Protein backbone atom coordinates (compact mmCIF):
# COMPACT_ATOMS: atom_id res chain seq x y z
CA UNK A 1 0.00 0.00 0.00
CA UNK A 2 2.74 2.46 0.96
CA UNK A 3 4.77 1.74 -2.18
CA UNK A 4 1.90 3.07 -4.32
CA UNK A 5 1.80 6.36 -2.44
CA UNK A 6 3.96 9.32 -3.43
CA UNK A 7 4.46 10.42 0.17
CA UNK A 8 5.09 7.56 2.58
CA UNK A 9 4.75 7.71 6.35
CA UNK A 10 7.90 8.25 8.36
CA UNK A 11 9.52 5.13 9.77
CA UNK A 12 8.74 6.30 13.31
CA UNK A 13 5.06 6.73 12.40
CA UNK A 14 4.95 3.12 11.21
CA UNK A 15 6.74 1.96 14.34
CA UNK A 16 4.32 3.89 16.57
CA UNK A 17 1.39 2.33 14.73
CA UNK A 18 2.83 -1.14 15.29
CA UNK A 19 3.35 -0.43 18.98
CA UNK A 20 -0.24 0.82 19.30
CA UNK A 21 -1.48 -2.54 18.02
CA UNK A 22 0.28 -4.28 20.91
CA UNK A 23 -1.70 -2.56 23.66
CA UNK A 24 -4.40 -5.24 23.82
CA UNK A 25 -2.04 -8.25 23.59
CA UNK A 26 -1.93 -10.76 26.39
CA UNK A 27 1.26 -10.49 28.49
CA UNK A 28 2.49 -13.88 27.25
CA UNK A 29 1.96 -13.11 23.54
CA UNK A 30 5.04 -13.78 21.42
CA UNK A 31 5.70 -10.59 19.46
CA UNK A 32 7.98 -9.99 16.49
CA UNK A 33 8.10 -6.56 14.83
CA UNK A 34 9.40 -6.06 11.32
CA UNK A 35 10.59 -2.90 9.62
CA UNK A 36 9.25 -1.43 6.38
CA UNK A 37 10.89 -2.91 3.29
CA UNK A 38 11.12 -1.77 -0.32
CA UNK A 39 9.54 -4.54 -2.45
CA UNK A 40 11.25 -5.58 -5.67
CA UNK A 41 8.09 -6.87 -7.33
CA UNK A 42 7.91 -4.06 -9.91
CA UNK A 43 11.61 -3.30 -10.14
CA UNK A 44 12.83 -4.14 -13.64
CA UNK A 45 16.51 -3.28 -13.95
CA UNK A 46 19.50 -4.05 -11.74
CA UNK A 47 19.95 -0.49 -10.49
CA UNK A 48 16.33 -0.35 -9.29
CA UNK A 49 16.67 -3.68 -7.52
CA UNK A 50 19.92 -2.66 -5.83
CA UNK A 51 18.40 0.67 -4.76
CA UNK A 52 15.45 -1.20 -3.23
CA UNK A 53 17.81 -3.47 -1.30
CA UNK A 54 19.83 -0.49 -0.05
CA UNK A 55 16.64 1.31 1.04
CA UNK A 56 15.49 -1.77 2.92
CA UNK A 57 18.82 -1.97 4.76
CA UNK A 58 18.63 1.73 5.65
CA UNK A 59 15.13 1.19 7.05
CA UNK A 60 16.40 -1.82 8.99
CA UNK A 61 19.16 0.25 10.62
CA UNK A 62 16.85 3.12 11.55
CA UNK A 63 14.15 0.73 12.77
CA UNK A 64 16.45 -1.14 15.13
CA UNK A 65 17.57 2.15 16.67
CA UNK A 66 13.91 3.06 17.30
CA UNK A 67 13.21 -0.39 18.68
CA UNK A 68 16.15 -0.31 21.09
CA UNK A 69 15.13 3.10 22.45
CA UNK A 70 11.49 2.09 22.92
CA UNK A 71 11.90 -0.20 25.93
CA UNK A 72 10.18 -3.10 24.11
CA UNK A 73 13.19 -5.39 24.06
CA UNK A 74 11.91 -7.60 26.89
CA UNK A 75 8.49 -8.02 25.26
CA UNK A 76 9.21 -8.21 21.54
CA UNK A 77 11.83 -9.20 18.98
CA UNK A 78 12.87 -7.17 15.92
CA UNK A 79 13.05 -8.90 12.54
CA UNK A 80 15.25 -7.77 9.66
CA UNK A 81 14.12 -8.27 6.07
CA UNK A 82 16.53 -10.04 3.73
CA UNK A 83 15.85 -8.36 0.40
CA UNK A 84 17.68 -9.82 -2.58
CA UNK A 85 17.35 -10.73 -6.24
CA UNK A 86 20.06 -13.42 -6.49
CA UNK A 87 22.40 -15.37 -4.22
CA UNK A 88 25.02 -12.62 -4.04
CA UNK A 89 22.50 -9.94 -3.05
CA UNK A 90 20.83 -12.25 -0.50
CA UNK A 91 24.24 -12.94 1.04
CA UNK A 92 25.07 -9.22 1.17
CA UNK A 93 21.69 -8.28 2.64
CA UNK A 94 21.78 -11.02 5.29
CA UNK A 95 25.32 -10.18 6.44
CA UNK A 96 24.51 -6.46 6.61
CA UNK A 97 21.49 -7.21 8.81
CA UNK A 98 23.65 -9.36 11.07
CA UNK A 99 26.16 -6.51 11.39
CA UNK A 100 23.34 -4.08 12.19
CA UNK A 101 22.34 -6.34 15.07
CA UNK A 102 19.40 -8.48 13.95
CA UNK A 103 19.02 -12.06 15.13
CA UNK A 104 15.64 -12.83 13.54
CA UNK A 105 15.20 -12.58 9.78
CA UNK A 106 12.52 -12.71 7.12
CA UNK A 107 13.00 -13.17 3.40
CA UNK A 108 10.72 -11.34 0.98
CA UNK A 109 10.27 -10.34 -2.68
CA UNK A 110 9.69 -13.95 -3.71
CA UNK A 111 6.12 -13.83 -5.04
CA UNK A 112 6.92 -13.12 -8.70
CA UNK A 113 9.50 -15.92 -8.93
CA UNK A 114 9.05 -19.53 -10.04
CA UNK A 115 8.52 -21.87 -7.13
CA UNK A 116 11.86 -23.63 -7.70
CA UNK A 117 13.64 -20.27 -7.51
CA UNK A 118 11.69 -19.40 -4.36
CA UNK A 119 12.84 -22.64 -2.73
CA UNK A 120 16.46 -22.07 -3.77
CA UNK A 121 16.45 -18.55 -2.31
CA UNK A 122 14.83 -19.70 0.93
CA UNK A 123 17.43 -22.45 1.27
CA UNK A 124 20.27 -20.05 0.57
CA UNK A 125 19.04 -17.54 3.16
CA UNK A 126 18.54 -20.34 5.69
CA UNK A 127 22.12 -21.51 5.16
CA UNK A 128 23.37 -18.03 6.07
CA UNK A 129 21.21 -17.06 9.08
CA UNK A 130 20.09 -20.51 10.25
CA UNK A 131 16.66 -21.95 9.38
CA UNK A 132 15.36 -21.59 12.95
CA UNK A 133 15.94 -17.83 12.68
CA UNK A 134 14.18 -17.42 9.32
CA UNK A 135 10.61 -16.37 8.50
CA UNK A 136 9.31 -16.54 4.91
CA UNK A 137 6.97 -13.83 3.69
CA UNK A 138 4.04 -14.73 1.46
CA UNK A 139 4.96 -18.21 0.23
CA UNK A 140 2.46 -21.05 0.63
CA UNK A 141 2.42 -23.15 -2.51
CA UNK A 142 2.22 -26.86 -1.74
CA UNK A 143 5.70 -27.54 -3.14
CA UNK A 144 7.10 -24.59 -1.19
CA UNK A 145 5.49 -25.72 2.07
CA UNK A 146 7.00 -29.17 1.63
CA UNK A 147 10.40 -27.59 1.03
CA UNK A 148 10.11 -25.20 4.00
CA UNK A 149 9.41 -28.10 6.32
CA UNK A 150 12.45 -29.94 4.96
CA UNK A 151 14.60 -26.82 5.35
CA UNK A 152 13.25 -26.24 8.87
CA UNK A 153 12.40 -22.53 8.65
CA UNK A 154 10.83 -21.05 11.77
CA UNK A 155 7.58 -19.75 10.25
CA UNK A 156 5.83 -18.40 7.18
CA UNK A 157 2.79 -16.28 6.37
CA UNK A 158 0.53 -15.78 3.37
CA UNK A 159 -2.37 -13.76 2.03
CA UNK A 160 -3.04 -16.45 -0.59
CA UNK A 161 -6.29 -17.74 1.00
CA UNK A 162 -7.63 -14.19 1.27
CA UNK A 163 -6.60 -13.31 -2.29
CA UNK A 164 -8.25 -16.50 -3.54
CA UNK A 165 -11.42 -15.62 -1.61
CA UNK A 166 -11.45 -12.15 -3.18
CA UNK A 167 -11.25 -13.73 -6.64
CA UNK A 168 -14.18 -16.09 -5.91
CA UNK A 169 -12.20 -19.23 -5.15
CA UNK A 170 -12.65 -21.80 -2.40
CA UNK A 171 -10.10 -24.35 -1.18
CA UNK A 172 -10.73 -27.91 -0.08
CA UNK A 173 -8.19 -30.34 1.33
CA UNK A 174 -7.43 -34.06 1.28
CA UNK A 175 -6.58 -33.72 -1.54
CA UNK A 176 -5.89 -30.00 -1.77
CA UNK A 177 -7.80 -28.38 -4.63
CA UNK A 178 -9.26 -25.05 -5.70
CA UNK A 179 -12.67 -24.27 -7.17
CA UNK A 180 -14.21 -21.13 -8.64
CA UNK A 181 -17.71 -20.13 -7.58
CA UNK A 182 -20.20 -20.91 -10.34
CA UNK A 183 -22.34 -17.97 -9.20
CA UNK A 184 -19.54 -15.47 -9.79
CA UNK A 185 -19.86 -13.04 -12.69
CA UNK A 186 -16.08 -12.89 -13.06
CA UNK A 187 -14.74 -13.79 -16.49
CA UNK A 188 -13.11 -17.08 -15.57
CA UNK A 189 -12.04 -19.57 -18.21
CA UNK A 190 -11.42 -22.41 -15.77
CA UNK A 191 -13.82 -25.34 -15.92
CA UNK A 192 -13.02 -26.18 -12.30
CA UNK A 193 -16.23 -24.61 -10.94
CA UNK A 194 -18.45 -25.48 -8.01
CA UNK A 195 -22.00 -24.37 -7.23
CA UNK A 196 -22.60 -26.01 -3.87
CA UNK A 197 -20.49 -26.80 -0.79
CA UNK A 198 -18.55 -29.98 -0.22
CA UNK A 199 -18.35 -31.63 3.23
CA UNK A 200 -16.27 -29.40 5.53
CA UNK A 201 -15.62 -28.96 9.26
CA UNK A 202 -14.33 -25.38 9.15
CA UNK A 203 -15.90 -22.79 11.49
CA UNK A 204 -17.79 -21.14 8.63
CA UNK A 205 -19.28 -24.33 7.23
CA UNK A 206 -20.38 -25.43 10.68
CA UNK A 207 -22.62 -22.36 10.73
CA UNK A 208 -23.77 -22.17 7.09
CA UNK A 209 -21.64 -23.64 4.28
CA UNK A 210 -23.79 -21.96 1.61
CA UNK A 211 -22.44 -18.57 2.70
CA UNK A 212 -19.20 -19.43 0.90
CA UNK A 213 -20.98 -19.42 -2.44
CA UNK A 214 -22.43 -15.92 -2.20
CA UNK A 215 -20.00 -13.85 -4.30
CA UNK A 216 -20.58 -10.50 -2.58
CA UNK A 217 -20.69 -8.31 -0.50
CA UNK A 218 -17.28 -8.34 1.20
CA UNK A 219 -18.58 -10.09 4.34
CA UNK A 220 -18.90 -13.31 2.35
CA UNK A 221 -15.40 -12.89 0.95
CA UNK A 222 -14.13 -12.77 4.54
CA UNK A 223 -15.96 -16.01 5.31
CA UNK A 224 -14.34 -17.65 2.27
CA UNK A 225 -10.98 -16.40 3.51
CA UNK A 226 -11.45 -18.14 6.87
CA UNK A 227 -12.61 -21.30 5.11
CA UNK A 228 -9.57 -21.20 2.81
CA UNK A 229 -7.13 -20.71 5.69
CA UNK A 230 -8.68 -23.69 7.44
CA UNK A 231 -7.99 -25.96 4.46
CA UNK A 232 -4.51 -24.58 3.86
CA UNK A 233 -3.79 -25.33 7.52
CA UNK A 234 -5.14 -28.88 7.11
CA UNK A 235 -2.84 -29.39 4.13
CA UNK A 236 0.10 -27.97 6.06
CA UNK A 237 -0.60 -30.16 9.09
CA UNK A 238 -0.74 -33.20 6.83
CA UNK A 239 2.68 -32.27 5.44
CA UNK A 240 4.01 -31.96 8.99
CA UNK A 241 2.46 -35.27 9.95
CA UNK A 242 4.10 -36.97 7.00
CA UNK A 243 7.49 -35.39 7.57
CA UNK A 244 7.26 -35.29 11.38
CA UNK A 245 8.61 -31.76 11.37
CA UNK A 246 7.69 -28.64 13.30
CA UNK A 247 6.82 -25.28 11.79
CA UNK A 248 4.30 -22.54 12.56
CA UNK A 249 1.89 -21.27 9.91
CA UNK A 250 0.76 -17.72 10.61
CA UNK A 251 -2.54 -16.65 9.04
CA UNK A 252 -3.81 -13.11 8.70
CA UNK A 253 -7.35 -13.98 9.82
CA UNK A 254 -8.64 -13.76 13.37
CA UNK A 255 -11.80 -15.84 13.79
CA UNK A 256 -14.12 -14.93 16.67
CA UNK A 257 -16.86 -17.40 15.88
CA UNK A 258 -19.43 -14.63 15.34
CA UNK A 259 -20.15 -13.55 11.77
CA UNK A 260 -21.63 -10.31 13.11
CA UNK A 261 -18.11 -9.21 14.05
CA UNK A 262 -16.82 -9.37 10.48
Amino acid sequence: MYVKQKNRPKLKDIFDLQVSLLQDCNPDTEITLVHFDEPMLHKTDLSEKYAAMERTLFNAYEYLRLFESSGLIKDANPMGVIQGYDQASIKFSAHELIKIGYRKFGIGSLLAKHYTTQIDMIQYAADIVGPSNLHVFGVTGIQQMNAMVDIGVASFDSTRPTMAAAFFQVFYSRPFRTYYLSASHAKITSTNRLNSPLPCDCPVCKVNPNDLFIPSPRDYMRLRSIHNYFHLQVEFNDILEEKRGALDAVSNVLWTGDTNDL
Side-chain angles (χ1 to χ4, degrees):
M1 180 183 69
Y2 290 144
V3 169
K4 297 177 182 179
Q5 299 176 0
K6 292 183 179 179
N7 298 315
R8 303 180 191 177
K10 295 180 180 179
L11 194 66
K12 188 177 187 308
D13 293 338
I14 296 174
F15 178 76
D16 290 342
L17 176 61
Q18 290 177 328
V19 172
S20 71
L21 297 174
L22 306 180
Q23 302 305 314
D24 296 329
C25 289
N26 293 326
D28 59 346
T29 301
E30 183 177 343
I31 299 167
T32 299
L33 298 179
V34 62
H35 61 86
F36 184 72
D37 67 312
E38 185 74 25
M40 294 185 180
L41 188 60
H42 301 296
K43 305 294 188 295
T44 55
D45 59 47
L46 188 60
S47 62
E48 288 181 319
K49 293 178 180 179
Y50 186 81
M53 182 179 66
E54 287 281 279
R55 183 65 191 177
T56 295
L57 288 171
F58 175 79
N59 289 340
Y61 177 85
E62 293 293 309
Y63 188 87
L64 192 59
R65 303 290 82 80
L66 281 172
F67 183 91
E68 290 173 340
S69 63
S70 70
L72 287 174
I73 295 177
K74 293 181 180 179
D75 302 315
N77 295 296
M79 176 181 288
V81 180
I82 299 171
Q83 198 79 300
Y85 45 87
D86 57 17
Q87 286 193 357
S89 58
I90 288 174
K91 182 177 181 179
F92 174 77
S93 179
H95 282 292
E96 288 299 304
L97 290 170
I98 293 170
K99 287 192 288 185
I100 290 171
Y102 285 93
R103 296 296 177 265
K104 282 180 173 280
F105 308 88
I107 182 167
S109 293
L110 298 175
L111 291 181
K113 302 183 184 301
H114 189 270
Y115 81 90
T116 57
T117 302
Q118 292 178 347
I119 293 170
D120 288 343
M121 294 180 78
I122 293 168
Q123 179 68 71
Y124 191 70
D127 290 342
I128 297 170
V129 302
S132 63
N133 301 317
L134 184 65
H135 175 85
V136 180
F137 293 111
V139 175
T140 48
I142 303 304
Q143 296 95 331
Q144 294 94 316
M145 287 198 295
N146 273 280
M148 288 190 290
V149 173
D150 289 335
I151 294 168
V153 303
S155 56
F156 67 89
D157 66 70
S158 178
T159 58
R160 177 187 173 194
T162 297
M163 293 297 293
F167 286 94
F168 312 107
Q169 299 171 57
V170 289
F171 296 165
Y172 284 96
S173 52
R174 296 177 178 171
F176 189 83
R177 56 216 188 273
T178 302
Y179 296 101
Y180 289 92
L181 304 186
S182 294
S184 167
H185 296 297
K187 295 180 180 179
I188 301 169
T189 58
S190 173
T191 59
N192 204 28
R193 292 174 174 264
L194 197 64
N195 57 18
S196 60
L198 300 177
C200 173
D201 292 326
C202 84
V204 176
C205 290
K206 285 182 177 180
V207 177
N208 186 357
N210 292 308
D211 283 345
L212 299 176
F213 290 80
I214 302 174
S216 59
R218 181 178 289 270
D219 286 353
Y220 295 104
M221 183 273 284
R222 292 170 176 167
L223 294 176
R224 285 194 297 276
S225 176
I226 294 166
H227 166 91
N228 288 348
Y229 270 107
F230 176 88
H231 284 282
L232 187 68
Q233 182 75 55
V234 169
E235 178 67 18
F236 176 69
N237 286 339
D238 286 348
I239 292 172
L240 282 181
E241 182 78 19
E242 179 182 353
K243 296 177 178 292
R244 299 181 182 274
L247 189 68
D248 294 325
V250 182
S251 82
N252 68 349
V253 170
L254 298 178
W255 170 253
T256 65
D258 186 352
T259 57
N260 292 326
D261 293 336
L262 294 174

